Short mmCIF file of all heavy atoms in Angstrom, two decimals:
data_model
loop_
_atom_site.label_atom_id
_atom_site.label_comp_id
_atom_site.label_asym_id
_atom_site.label_seq_id
_atom_site.Cartn_x
_atom_site.Cartn_y
_atom_site.Cartn_z
N GLU A 1326 -15.53 7.10 11.14
CA GLU A 1326 -16.36 7.59 10.04
C GLU A 1326 -17.46 8.51 10.56
O GLU A 1326 -17.78 8.51 11.74
CB GLU A 1326 -16.97 6.40 9.28
CG GLU A 1326 -15.99 5.33 8.85
CD GLU A 1326 -14.82 5.83 7.99
OE1 GLU A 1326 -14.96 6.89 7.35
OE2 GLU A 1326 -13.77 5.17 7.98
N SER A 1335 -16.12 15.33 1.97
CA SER A 1335 -14.80 14.71 1.81
C SER A 1335 -14.92 13.30 1.24
O SER A 1335 -14.03 12.83 0.52
CB SER A 1335 -14.06 14.69 3.15
OG SER A 1335 -14.81 14.01 4.14
N GLN A 1365 -11.30 -2.26 -1.56
CA GLN A 1365 -10.51 -1.41 -2.47
C GLN A 1365 -9.23 -2.16 -2.84
O GLN A 1365 -8.61 -2.81 -1.99
CB GLN A 1365 -10.17 -0.10 -1.76
CG GLN A 1365 -9.38 0.85 -2.66
CD GLN A 1365 -9.18 2.22 -2.03
OE1 GLN A 1365 -9.82 2.54 -1.03
NE2 GLN A 1365 -8.30 3.01 -2.59
N HIS A 1370 3.10 -0.35 -9.29
CA HIS A 1370 4.33 -0.74 -9.97
C HIS A 1370 5.52 -0.40 -9.10
O HIS A 1370 5.50 0.59 -8.37
CB HIS A 1370 4.48 0.03 -11.29
CG HIS A 1370 3.49 -0.37 -12.33
ND1 HIS A 1370 3.66 -1.46 -13.13
CD2 HIS A 1370 2.30 0.17 -12.67
CE1 HIS A 1370 2.63 -1.56 -13.95
NE2 HIS A 1370 1.78 -0.59 -13.69
N ARG A 1374 11.91 -6.77 -6.61
CA ARG A 1374 11.56 -8.10 -7.09
C ARG A 1374 11.48 -8.13 -8.61
O ARG A 1374 10.49 -8.59 -9.19
CB ARG A 1374 10.25 -8.58 -6.45
CG ARG A 1374 10.36 -8.70 -4.94
CD ARG A 1374 9.00 -8.88 -4.29
NE ARG A 1374 9.12 -8.88 -2.84
CZ ARG A 1374 9.00 -9.94 -2.07
NH1 ARG A 1374 8.76 -11.12 -2.60
NH2 ARG A 1374 9.14 -9.85 -0.77
N GLU A 1383 -7.32 -2.84 0.65
CA GLU A 1383 -7.70 -1.98 1.78
C GLU A 1383 -9.21 -2.01 1.94
O GLU A 1383 -9.94 -2.31 1.00
CB GLU A 1383 -7.30 -0.50 1.51
CG GLU A 1383 -5.83 -0.20 1.42
CD GLU A 1383 -5.19 0.11 2.78
OE1 GLU A 1383 -5.89 0.08 3.81
OE2 GLU A 1383 -3.96 0.34 2.78
N VAL A 1416 0.09 -9.99 -3.54
CA VAL A 1416 -1.04 -9.26 -2.97
C VAL A 1416 -0.67 -8.98 -1.52
O VAL A 1416 -0.18 -9.87 -0.82
CB VAL A 1416 -2.35 -10.08 -3.01
CG1 VAL A 1416 -3.52 -9.26 -2.46
CG2 VAL A 1416 -2.65 -10.55 -4.43
N GLN A 1417 -0.89 -7.77 -1.07
CA GLN A 1417 -0.54 -7.46 0.32
C GLN A 1417 -1.63 -6.64 0.98
O GLN A 1417 -2.43 -5.99 0.32
CB GLN A 1417 0.81 -6.74 0.40
CG GLN A 1417 0.85 -5.35 -0.22
CD GLN A 1417 2.26 -4.76 -0.19
OE1 GLN A 1417 3.23 -5.45 -0.52
NE2 GLN A 1417 2.37 -3.50 0.17
N LEU A 1418 -1.65 -6.71 2.29
CA LEU A 1418 -2.61 -5.94 3.09
C LEU A 1418 -2.06 -5.83 4.50
O LEU A 1418 -1.14 -6.55 4.88
CB LEU A 1418 -3.98 -6.64 3.10
CG LEU A 1418 -4.03 -8.07 3.62
CD1 LEU A 1418 -4.26 -8.12 5.13
CD2 LEU A 1418 -5.17 -8.85 2.94
N SER A 1420 -3.57 -5.59 8.59
CA SER A 1420 -4.76 -5.84 9.38
C SER A 1420 -4.43 -5.51 10.83
O SER A 1420 -3.40 -5.95 11.35
CB SER A 1420 -5.15 -7.32 9.21
OG SER A 1420 -6.28 -7.61 10.00
N LYS A 1422 -3.75 -5.34 14.59
CA LYS A 1422 -3.32 -6.48 15.41
C LYS A 1422 -4.44 -7.03 16.28
O LYS A 1422 -4.39 -8.18 16.70
CB LYS A 1422 -2.10 -6.08 16.26
CG LYS A 1422 -0.80 -6.05 15.46
CD LYS A 1422 0.42 -5.82 16.34
CE LYS A 1422 1.67 -5.62 15.50
NZ LYS A 1422 2.40 -6.89 15.26
N VAL A 1437 0.76 -14.80 4.29
CA VAL A 1437 1.76 -15.06 5.32
C VAL A 1437 1.94 -13.77 6.13
O VAL A 1437 2.12 -12.69 5.56
CB VAL A 1437 3.10 -15.50 4.68
CG1 VAL A 1437 4.15 -15.77 5.76
CG2 VAL A 1437 2.88 -16.74 3.82
N SER A 1439 4.18 -12.01 7.51
CA SER A 1439 5.64 -11.90 7.48
C SER A 1439 6.14 -10.53 7.90
O SER A 1439 7.33 -10.37 8.17
CB SER A 1439 6.14 -12.19 6.07
OG SER A 1439 5.45 -11.36 5.15
N HIS A 1440 5.27 -9.55 7.93
CA HIS A 1440 5.70 -8.16 8.12
C HIS A 1440 5.00 -7.50 9.30
O HIS A 1440 3.91 -7.91 9.69
CB HIS A 1440 5.42 -7.34 6.85
CG HIS A 1440 6.38 -7.63 5.72
ND1 HIS A 1440 6.51 -8.88 5.17
CD2 HIS A 1440 7.27 -6.82 5.07
CE1 HIS A 1440 7.43 -8.84 4.21
NE2 HIS A 1440 7.91 -7.62 4.13
N GLU A 1441 5.63 -6.46 9.82
CA GLU A 1441 4.95 -5.55 10.72
C GLU A 1441 4.30 -4.47 9.87
O GLU A 1441 4.91 -3.98 8.91
CB GLU A 1441 5.93 -4.90 11.71
CG GLU A 1441 6.64 -5.88 12.65
CD GLU A 1441 5.70 -6.54 13.66
OE1 GLU A 1441 4.53 -6.15 13.78
OE2 GLU A 1441 6.18 -7.49 14.32
N GLY A 1442 3.08 -4.11 10.23
CA GLY A 1442 2.40 -3.00 9.55
C GLY A 1442 2.48 -1.77 10.42
O GLY A 1442 1.96 -1.77 11.53
N LYS A 1444 2.15 2.47 11.02
CA LYS A 1444 1.35 3.62 10.55
C LYS A 1444 1.74 4.86 11.34
O LYS A 1444 1.99 4.79 12.54
CB LYS A 1444 -0.15 3.35 10.80
CG LYS A 1444 -0.62 1.97 10.37
CD LYS A 1444 -1.43 1.96 9.11
CE LYS A 1444 -1.66 0.52 8.67
NZ LYS A 1444 -2.50 0.39 7.50
N LEU A 1445 1.77 5.95 10.66
CA LEU A 1445 2.01 7.26 11.28
C LEU A 1445 0.82 8.15 10.90
O LEU A 1445 0.60 8.41 9.71
CB LEU A 1445 3.31 7.86 10.75
CG LEU A 1445 3.60 9.31 11.15
CD1 LEU A 1445 3.96 9.41 12.62
CD2 LEU A 1445 4.75 9.86 10.31
N GLU B 1457 16.65 -9.91 -6.42
CA GLU B 1457 16.95 -9.07 -7.57
C GLU B 1457 17.95 -9.75 -8.49
O GLU B 1457 18.65 -10.69 -8.09
CB GLU B 1457 17.52 -7.72 -7.10
CG GLU B 1457 16.66 -7.00 -6.05
CD GLU B 1457 15.21 -6.75 -6.46
OE1 GLU B 1457 14.92 -6.72 -7.67
OE2 GLU B 1457 14.36 -6.61 -5.56
N GLN B 1496 10.33 4.67 -2.52
CA GLN B 1496 9.15 4.85 -3.35
C GLN B 1496 7.99 5.29 -2.47
O GLN B 1496 7.82 4.77 -1.36
CB GLN B 1496 8.81 3.54 -4.05
CG GLN B 1496 7.59 3.64 -4.98
CD GLN B 1496 7.36 2.39 -5.79
OE1 GLN B 1496 8.24 1.52 -5.86
NE2 GLN B 1496 6.21 2.28 -6.41
N HIS B 1501 -5.89 7.38 -2.64
CA HIS B 1501 -7.18 7.90 -2.19
C HIS B 1501 -8.04 6.75 -1.70
O HIS B 1501 -7.96 5.64 -2.23
CB HIS B 1501 -7.90 8.60 -3.35
CG HIS B 1501 -7.26 9.86 -3.79
ND1 HIS B 1501 -7.47 11.06 -3.16
CD2 HIS B 1501 -6.37 10.11 -4.78
CE1 HIS B 1501 -6.77 12.00 -3.76
NE2 HIS B 1501 -6.09 11.45 -4.75
N ARG B 1505 -11.85 6.64 6.83
CA ARG B 1505 -11.43 7.78 7.65
C ARG B 1505 -11.85 9.09 7.00
O ARG B 1505 -11.04 10.00 6.81
CB ARG B 1505 -9.90 7.74 7.87
CG ARG B 1505 -9.47 6.50 8.67
CD ARG B 1505 -7.96 6.31 8.61
NE ARG B 1505 -7.59 5.06 9.27
CZ ARG B 1505 -7.05 4.97 10.47
NH1 ARG B 1505 -6.78 6.04 11.15
NH2 ARG B 1505 -6.75 3.79 10.99
N GLN B 1506 -13.13 9.14 6.62
CA GLN B 1506 -13.73 10.35 6.05
C GLN B 1506 -13.05 10.80 4.76
O GLN B 1506 -12.85 11.98 4.51
CB GLN B 1506 -13.74 11.47 7.09
CG GLN B 1506 -14.54 11.09 8.33
CD GLN B 1506 -14.47 12.11 9.43
OE1 GLN B 1506 -14.65 13.29 9.18
NE2 GLN B 1506 -14.19 11.67 10.64
N GLU B 1514 7.53 2.32 0.22
CA GLU B 1514 8.08 1.00 -0.15
C GLU B 1514 9.54 1.18 -0.54
O GLU B 1514 9.96 2.26 -0.95
CB GLU B 1514 7.34 0.42 -1.38
CG GLU B 1514 5.89 0.05 -1.18
CD GLU B 1514 5.68 -1.37 -0.66
OE1 GLU B 1514 6.68 -2.09 -0.44
OE2 GLU B 1514 4.52 -1.73 -0.42
N VAL B 1547 0.71 7.97 6.91
CA VAL B 1547 1.79 7.35 6.17
C VAL B 1547 1.89 5.91 6.67
O VAL B 1547 1.84 5.68 7.88
CB VAL B 1547 3.15 8.06 6.41
CG1 VAL B 1547 4.24 7.43 5.57
CG2 VAL B 1547 3.04 9.54 6.12
N GLN B 1548 1.98 4.97 5.77
CA GLN B 1548 2.07 3.59 6.22
C GLN B 1548 3.13 2.83 5.45
O GLN B 1548 3.53 3.22 4.35
CB GLN B 1548 0.72 2.89 6.10
CG GLN B 1548 0.20 2.70 4.68
CD GLN B 1548 -1.22 2.10 4.66
OE1 GLN B 1548 -2.08 2.51 5.43
NE2 GLN B 1548 -1.44 1.15 3.78
N SER B 1551 7.25 -3.71 7.17
CA SER B 1551 8.67 -4.01 7.33
C SER B 1551 8.78 -5.47 7.76
O SER B 1551 8.08 -5.90 8.70
CB SER B 1551 9.27 -3.06 8.37
OG SER B 1551 10.63 -3.36 8.57
N LYS B 1553 9.38 -8.85 9.44
CA LYS B 1553 9.47 -9.06 10.90
C LYS B 1553 10.91 -9.30 11.35
O LYS B 1553 11.23 -9.08 12.52
CB LYS B 1553 8.56 -10.22 11.34
CG LYS B 1553 7.09 -9.81 11.41
CD LYS B 1553 6.21 -10.92 11.98
CE LYS B 1553 4.73 -10.55 11.89
NZ LYS B 1553 4.22 -9.84 13.07
N VAL B 1568 3.64 3.69 14.53
CA VAL B 1568 3.11 2.75 15.52
C VAL B 1568 2.95 1.39 14.85
O VAL B 1568 2.40 1.29 13.75
CB VAL B 1568 1.75 3.25 16.07
CG1 VAL B 1568 1.19 2.27 17.09
CG2 VAL B 1568 1.91 4.64 16.69
N SER B 1570 1.00 -1.09 14.68
CA SER B 1570 -0.38 -1.41 15.07
C SER B 1570 -0.98 -2.55 14.26
O SER B 1570 -2.01 -3.10 14.63
CB SER B 1570 -1.25 -0.17 14.87
OG SER B 1570 -1.09 0.32 13.55
N HIS B 1571 -0.35 -2.91 13.15
CA HIS B 1571 -0.95 -3.85 12.21
C HIS B 1571 -0.03 -5.04 11.92
O HIS B 1571 1.18 -4.95 12.06
CB HIS B 1571 -1.27 -3.14 10.88
CG HIS B 1571 -2.48 -2.24 10.97
ND1 HIS B 1571 -2.53 -1.16 11.83
CD2 HIS B 1571 -3.67 -2.27 10.32
CE1 HIS B 1571 -3.71 -0.56 11.69
NE2 HIS B 1571 -4.40 -1.20 10.78
N GLU B 1572 -0.65 -6.12 11.48
CA GLU B 1572 0.10 -7.21 10.87
C GLU B 1572 0.21 -6.92 9.38
O GLU B 1572 -0.77 -6.47 8.77
CB GLU B 1572 -0.60 -8.56 11.08
CG GLU B 1572 -0.76 -8.99 12.53
CD GLU B 1572 0.57 -9.32 13.23
OE1 GLU B 1572 1.62 -9.39 12.56
OE2 GLU B 1572 0.54 -9.48 14.45
N GLY B 1573 1.39 -7.15 8.83
CA GLY B 1573 1.58 -6.99 7.39
C GLY B 1573 1.55 -8.37 6.76
O GLY B 1573 2.38 -9.22 7.04
N MET B 1574 0.54 -8.60 5.90
CA MET B 1574 0.32 -9.94 5.35
C MET B 1574 0.53 -9.92 3.83
O MET B 1574 0.06 -9.01 3.14
CB MET B 1574 -1.10 -10.40 5.71
CG MET B 1574 -1.39 -10.19 7.20
SD MET B 1574 -2.96 -10.91 7.79
CE MET B 1574 -2.55 -12.67 7.76
N LYS B 1575 1.21 -10.95 3.33
CA LYS B 1575 1.56 -10.98 1.90
C LYS B 1575 1.22 -12.35 1.32
O LYS B 1575 1.41 -13.38 1.98
CB LYS B 1575 3.08 -10.76 1.73
CG LYS B 1575 3.64 -9.60 2.57
CD LYS B 1575 3.99 -8.39 1.76
CE LYS B 1575 4.34 -7.25 2.71
NZ LYS B 1575 4.73 -6.04 2.05
N LEU B 1576 0.76 -12.32 0.11
CA LEU B 1576 0.49 -13.55 -0.64
C LEU B 1576 1.25 -13.45 -1.94
O LEU B 1576 1.02 -12.54 -2.75
CB LEU B 1576 -1.02 -13.66 -0.93
CG LEU B 1576 -1.44 -14.78 -1.89
CD1 LEU B 1576 -1.31 -16.14 -1.21
CD2 LEU B 1576 -2.88 -14.57 -2.35
#
Side-chain angles (χ1 to χ4, degrees):
Chain A
E1326 309 304 337
S1335 58
Q1365 182 173 347
H1370 291 277
R1374 298 168 185 253
E1383 294 272 1
V1416 182
Q1417 66 185 45
L1418 58 89
S1420 178
K1422 282 187 187 268
V1437 180
S1439 53
H1440 285 60
E1441 297 292 351
K1444 314 254 171 177
L1445 172 71
Chain B
E1457 308 304 337
Q1496 181 173 347
H1501 291 278
R1505 296 167 185 256
Q1506 300 174 48
E1514 294 273 0
V1547 183
Q1548 66 185 43
S1551 178
K1553 283 186 187 269
V1568 179
S1570 53
H1571 285 61
E1572 298 293 350
M1574 311 188 73
K1575 314 253 172 178
L1576 171 72

